[in-house]
């Protein structure tokens, strides 16, 4: 599904450039479940952004289903992101002036589905993350964990081929977190490729494969022994 | 130090009011270390906001060092918050147009310290959280865990009497998280009262006392057995 070939990402800050990613080469098989771990600042969110076509590498190639992403047009990339990817960002990225329900409907609006159908699908997604009683709340009226769950519902509502989730249970208590992980298992069992950035070894243990980043490089890449 | 007497907090959303806190009564002894746990949406951040005088209860009384907080004037409350409390918010709340160093200096500016001294103290606080090489970065140029650490440095820089931290290690890998917890231990050993909202039982185990909230009520309050 995905092939990264010597991907690099450099940021220039003043006179001290930051090499967030260096020579990252890896392949992701469709339908797999992958955990990305590593210390704070090691490049995990940056890698996820590149995988999701939200960010452009400064060097290397990204092939998606054999096609060179760097050569796609902006409309093609936008289409890809909206229709085929689902994102859970580390800071949730909810639109503050939209309710929880409206936030979750957003990917469906891009896919041009009819309002009644969009509303029903968004409501169903919010029910799956336990927030049926918070649909009309604005993000500022939701707890941290509730905002995170709205972001998760939004990532799932379009039934994407690939889910990229940055610490999807970071703001959740253990019980709620487990429900979300079961939800991701279900989605993965249905064929969706799931890539999760996590600091939690227990979460990584549930994925079939764990990639570890240190200082922008892949320092280990192991399939789980027992599954 | 702190006494909450039947504190309630109600939000009105449309025609469905949310009782975020109900009849919460508890005392906090100066110098103690307290963990607040509970499911997503149980009222932890709301309780922290009331303890930190950032939010006003809809019922009940809050006594701080015997003084009724509800009767304090707005300038008195602002003074209290800036000089005597340190906050780590669940979403960090860094000012996007200030660098890491400038964000950490902010509480010192309120305390009207001289620029050279402020800069030195802020730099020292950032060094304690391992971010000496990120001082001129803006929040958007920092990883999630780095932003969280800037928020922690900002909470400590004024050497407050009370630290209120909402999931202070949520975005951190295990190693970095442990360094932050050691830092909080040090601060607590120096006499600062530390109140930490956390979903992590290992973190709660390090505090002398754990309060559990469920649906806005205190459902358990236990001192750790062994310390
Ligand atoms: N826009 C930017 N400009 C400059 N440096 C940046 C920018 N974005 C990220 N960085 C730097 O790149 C490095 C990697 O950042 P990234 O967000 O990928 O880390 P991370 O592994 O997700 O960390 P965390 O676990 O703390 O979220 C960090 O050291 C960060 O300071
Ligand atoms: N401004 C508001 N208006 C309406 N309801 C609110 C508002 N702020 C919070 N709430 C509701 O109050 C309840 C408690 O919120 P709070 O943020 O204290 O939860 P929490 O325990 O911190 O949760 P989490 O672990 O998910 O961060 C939630 O159900 C939330 O939806
Ligand atoms: Mg990150
Ligand atoms: Mg909270």
């Amino acid at each position: 599904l995905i092939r990264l070939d010597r991907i690099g990402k450099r940021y220039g800050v003043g006179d001290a450039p930051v090499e967030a990613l260096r020579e990252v080469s890896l392949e992701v098989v469709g339908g797999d479940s992958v955990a990305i771990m590593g210390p704070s600042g090691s490049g995990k969110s940056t890698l996820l952004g590149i995988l999701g076509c939200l960010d452009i590498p400064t060097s290397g190639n990204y092939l998606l289903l054999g096609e060179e992403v760097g050569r796609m047009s902006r409309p093609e990339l936008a289409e890809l992101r909206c229709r085929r990817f689902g994102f859970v960002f580390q800071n949730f990225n909810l639109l503050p002036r939209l309710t929880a329900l409206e936030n979750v409907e957003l990917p469906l609006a891009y896919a041009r589905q009819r309002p009644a159908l969009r509303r029903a699908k968004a409501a169903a997604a919010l029910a799956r993350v336990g927030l049926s009683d918070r649909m009309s709340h604005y993000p500022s009226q939701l707890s941290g964990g509730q905002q995170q769950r709205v972001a998760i519902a939004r990532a799932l509502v379009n039934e994407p081929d690939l889910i990229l989730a940055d610490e999807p249970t970071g703001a959740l208590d253990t019980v709620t977190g487990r429900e979300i992980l079961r939800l991701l298992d279900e989605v993965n069992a249905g064929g969706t490729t799931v890539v999760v950035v996590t600091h939690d070894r227990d979460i990584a243990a549930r994925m079939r494969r764990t990639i570890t980043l240190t200082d922008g490089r892949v320092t280990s890449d192991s399939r789980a022994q027992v599954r």
Side-chain angles (χ1 to χ4, degrees), chain A:
Chain A
L1 177 68
I2 285 173
R3 194 161 133 233
L4 299 186
D5 182 26
R6 301 193 349 201
I7 289 290
K9 179 70 186 181
R10 179 186 309 124
Y11 295 107
V13 179
D15 43 46
V18 175
E19 299 274 351
L21 293 176
R22 316 162 196 252
E23 301 278 315
V24 171
S25 296
L26 54 90
E27 292 185 21
V28 178
V29 173
D32 207 357
S33 65
V34 186
I36 300 177
M37 299 194 77
S40 178
S42 54
K44 305 178 295 298
S45 298
T46 303
L47 178 57
L48 218 64
I50 283 171
L51 286 171
C53 305
L54 293 164
D55 200 7
I56 303 169
T58 40
S59 56
N61 300 312
Y62 177 3
L63 287 107
L64 185 64
L65 289 171
E67 242 194 287
E68 173 60 64
V69 163
R71 294 221 197 91
M72 288 183 185
S73 67
R74 292 174 66 99
E76 281 180 295
L77 282 171
E79 171 97 355
L80 192 67
R81 284 195 301 262
C82 289
R83 294 209 176 203
R84 308 191 59 188
F85 295 171
F87 300 92
V88 184
F89 294 100
Q90 199 169 4
N91 65 351
F92 319 151
N93 270 21
L94 300 179
L95 298 188
R97 295 194 199 166
L98 299 186
T99 64
L101 186 69
E102 290 164 346
N103 262 288
V104 175
E105 279 187 17
L106 224 46
L108 300 172
Y110 279 123
R112 306 238 182 91
Q113 298 194 9
R114 275 177 297 110
L117 183 60
R118 291 204 310 252
R119 193 132 302 204
K121 284 193 174 187
L126 280 167
R128 280 169 93 189
V129 298
L131 289 176
S132 298
D133 60 349
R134 288 287 182 274
M135 300 205 293
S136 320
H137 281 228
Y138 289 88
S140 61
Q141 297 171 326
L142 296 172
S143 76
Q146 290 167 345
Q147 290 175 40
Q148 189 166 45
R149 284 184 275 158
V150 173
I152 291 161
R154 183 179 63 182
L156 298 175
V157 76
N158 231 353
E159 290 167 299
D161 300 328
L162 170 67
I163 289 195
L164 299 160
D166 207 334
E167 313 270 1
T169 59
L172 301 176
D173 60 277
T174 323
V175 171
T176 315
R178 263 190 226 131
E179 288 164 24
I180 294 303
L181 293 171
R182 257 198 309 269
L183 186 50
L184 289 176
D185 280 350
E186 258 175 61
V187 166
N188 183 238
T192 301
T193 310
V194 173
V195 179
V196 171
V197 167
T198 181
H199 285 306
D200 192 323
R201 295 190 186 287
D202 297 338
I203 294 176
R206 297 172 68 123
M207 307 288 134
R208 287 188 207 97
R209 175 184 179 195
T210 296
I211 295 170
T212 302
L213 288 184
T214 312
D215 275 337
R217 289 181 198 280
V218 175
T219 48
S220 93
D221 184 348
S222 64
R223 295 193 153 271
Q225 301 305 344
V226 180
R227 221 192 174 250

